[in-house]
Amino acid sequence: MTISADREKMLSEMTRAEKAELLQWIVRDLGDDFPGIESKAGVMGGVACIARTRIPVWLLEQARRLGTSEADLLRDYPTLTVRDLANAWNFVRSRRAEIDAQIEANEKDDEGGPRVPLRLYSL
């Protein structure tokens, strides 16, 4: 049997629920859950970043929480677009606990003390 035939046989034996679960996994694996957002092992510790950049979503969200406007973010990070920010905010809404944990982890150094304020960072 060919690999393709093996896959067809496997799919034909799956329930609709199993197929739906497999499809959801494939979509997540392809990164289509959040267009414009990428997570790659070895890039910025694997945290979600704006696609083709090293700008973490958590950093943008923390800047927003500190009062930085979208206009300021676009000026400070010239490679960002309005669409990038919209994608980031959608990601934050869906993954708030993950983003909160990344912000909290960044605010502490190895000894548990505060880090330099986020506003001073530049990428």
Side-chain angles (χ1 to χ4, degrees):
M1 250 189 198
T2 67
I3 292 174
S4 181
D6 288 343
R7 287 185 193 136
E8 282 184 40
K9 182 178 183 312
M10 181 185 71
L11 285 171
S12 70
E13 294 171 353
M14 294 174 77
T15 66
R16 289 181 62 83
E18 290 169 331
K19 289 176 185 176
E21 186 178 332
L22 176 62
L23 183 58
Q24 288 173 346
W25 180 86
I26 290 169
V27 168
R28 277 193 310 271
D29 188 59
L30 293 174
D32 290 337
D33 269 352
F34 298 96
I37 305 296
E38 299 176 332
S39 297
K40 294 182 180 178
V43 176
M44 299 301 291
V47 300
C49 293
I50 302 300
R52 298 170 308 283
T53 77
R54 296 171 85 68
I55 304 171
V57 173
W58 69 260
L59 182 126
L60 297 172
E61 174 61 12
Q62 181 64 355
R64 183 168 69 160
R65 290 177 186 181
L66 293 172
T68 305
S69 70
E70 288 188 0
D72 288 338
L73 289 171
L74 293 170
R75 185 191 68 241
D76 293 344
Y77 299 96
T79 60
L80 284 181
T81 66
V82 171
R83 175 173 264 175
D84 291 330
L85 292 178
N87 291 336
W89 307 151
N90 286 333
F91 185 89
V92 170
R93 272 193 296 281
S94 296
R95 306 263 181 99
R96 183 150 321 269
E98 177 182 336
I99 296 298
D100 289 345
Q102 290 168 355
I103 289 170
E104 184 178 331
N106 190 66
E107 290 177 342
K108 298 176 181 173
D109 65 16
D110 293 340
E111 288 98 39
R115 286 189 151 186
V116 176
L118 180 71
R119 299 174 191 257
L120 302 178
Y121 283 89
S122 81
L123 296 176

